[in-house]
Amino acid sequence: MLVNGICGKDGTNLQWKLDTLKGVLSISGQGEMYDEWSFLDREVWRSKEYKDVITKVVISGGVTSITSHAFEECMNLREIVIPNSINSIGAAAFQFCRKLEYITIPDGVEGILANTFLDCNGLKIIKLPDIFKYDIGNCAFMGCSNLESINIPQGVTEIGEDAFKDCSSLTHIKIPEGVKVIGDGAFARCSNLTSIKLPSSLRVIRNNAFYECNKLREAIYQGGVIAWSDVNRYDYGNWWLENAIKF
């Protein structure tokens, strides 16, 4: 069975079509999706009747945004094709997509907002652009327990609260120069994290940033001993980092 509708910010500029037998949702047209509140006010493909059958999403070139909550709780979504025309992805766009394993974010996207991949515990590999204009939002990857690696783009200045909390498959992380703040609980309970490189630009490490990172053995700070003393390091829950620091 085919069901369809419109999902464009300007009315009919975008169309969607769902093949309920194949589980394929196709989105085509030119321009932006509905803004968040217009989107939430409409059922589109988000009604439980439809979103539970979606296994693949294909977005055509010409579509420029993925709105907030767009594919939230599409529990059986395994694959999504995102074209290079996409330049923004809204908050919570993929949260609770627990069978999604791989995703490539186009170069035009300039940041990852809050909750974008929250609890995508099947996600293994994500390819991010080399450069971001904005930061990594709160809880952006929280609960991505199978995420094997992450390349944090240049241009990020802050890693948000709980951004990578419970990413228990991460083993090595390099935080690029330019990052100034690591938020509360940002890497908490990354239980297999063994090494991390911290940039000389770092100014603040908030509470619980590395809480229960029990296997952390090497935290290399690239600014040297004297500069490390000037980093505002909140005491609570960061013992694991302090015990592993090297220069």
Side-chain angles (χ1 to χ4, degrees):
M1 182 178 72
L2 290 175
V3 291
N4 58 74
I6 59 174
C7 57
K9 184 176 181 181
D10 298 325
T12 60
N13 63 300
L14 297 183
Q15 301 83 40
W16 65 275
K17 178 175 65 177
L18 174 62
D19 185 327
T20 58
L21 295 178
K22 295 181 178 178
V24 178
L25 171 67
S26 303
I27 301 169
S28 60
Q30 299 288 324
E32 299 178 61
M33 283 190 188
Y34 286 137
D35 61 67
E36 177 181 0
W37 300 113
S38 296
F39 188 81
L40 291 175
D41 195 42
R42 295 167 170 84
E43 284 297 294
V44 286
W45 58 82
R46 283 173 42 83
S47 67
K48 186 167 180 60
E49 177 186 2
Y50 295 146
K51 70 182 179 182
D52 283 357
V53 306
I54 296 172
T55 60
K56 181 177 181 178
V57 173
V58 179
I59 302 174
S60 298
V63 180
T64 60
S65 72
I66 295 174
T67 198
S68 298
H69 304 278
F71 306 107
E72 177 182 26
E73 294 183 335
C74 288
M75 296 291 199
N76 292 304
L77 177 62
R78 294 179 179 275
E79 181 183 357
I80 181 163
V81 178
I82 303 177
N84 290 330
S85 57
I86 294 290
N87 56 41
S88 69
I89 297 176
F94 299 98
Q95 71 175 353
F96 308 126
C97 291
R98 292 175 176 148
K99 292 186 179 178
L100 185 64
E101 294 186 7
Y102 310 98
I103 191 167
T104 297
I105 305 300
D107 288 341
V109 175
E110 297 181 321
I112 297 294
L113 301 182
N115 294 23
T116 300
F117 295 98
L118 174 65
D119 207 24
C120 291
N121 54 20
L123 187 63
K124 295 179 180 179
I125 297 174
I126 181 167
K127 187 180 185 302
L128 298 176
D130 293 331
I131 298 174
F132 270 176
K133 185 176 180 180
Y134 305 109
D135 296 329
I136 295 177
N138 295 348
C139 303
F141 296 94
M142 179 178 172
C144 293
S145 56
N146 279 297
L147 187 63
E148 296 169 355
S149 63
I150 188 77
N151 58 308
I152 298 174
Q154 297 287 334
V156 171
T157 61
E158 182 169 351
I159 298 172
E161 179 178 336
D162 295 332
F164 296 96
K165 184 176 182 179
D166 292 321
C167 289
S168 53
S169 293
L170 290 176
T171 57
H172 308 280
I173 296 170
K174 181 180 180 182
I175 298 178
E177 284 294 334
V179 172
K180 296 180 180 180
V181 179
I182 299 176
D184 290 77
F187 296 97
R189 295 204 296 260
C190 288
S191 54
N192 284 298
L193 184 64
T194 60
S195 68
I196 186 166
K197 288 186 177 180
L198 303 171
S200 61
S201 57
L202 194 59
R203 295 293 177 267
V204 179
I205 302 173
R206 300 198 189 279
N207 285 328
N208 293 316
F210 294 91
Y211 179 67
E212 289 191 358
C213 291
N214 299 318
K215 294 184 179 179
L216 187 59
R217 297 293 179 264
E218 186 176 68
I220 300 174
Y221 173 63
Q222 298 175 320
V225 176
I226 295 175
W228 182 246
S229 66
D230 293 330
V231 176
N232 186 1
R233 309 189 305 277
Y234 288 49
D235 292 335
Y236 190 78
N238 283 323
W239 177 89
W240 292 268
L241 174 68
E242 296 289 351
N243 197 47
I245 198 70
K246 293 178 171 59
F247 305 99

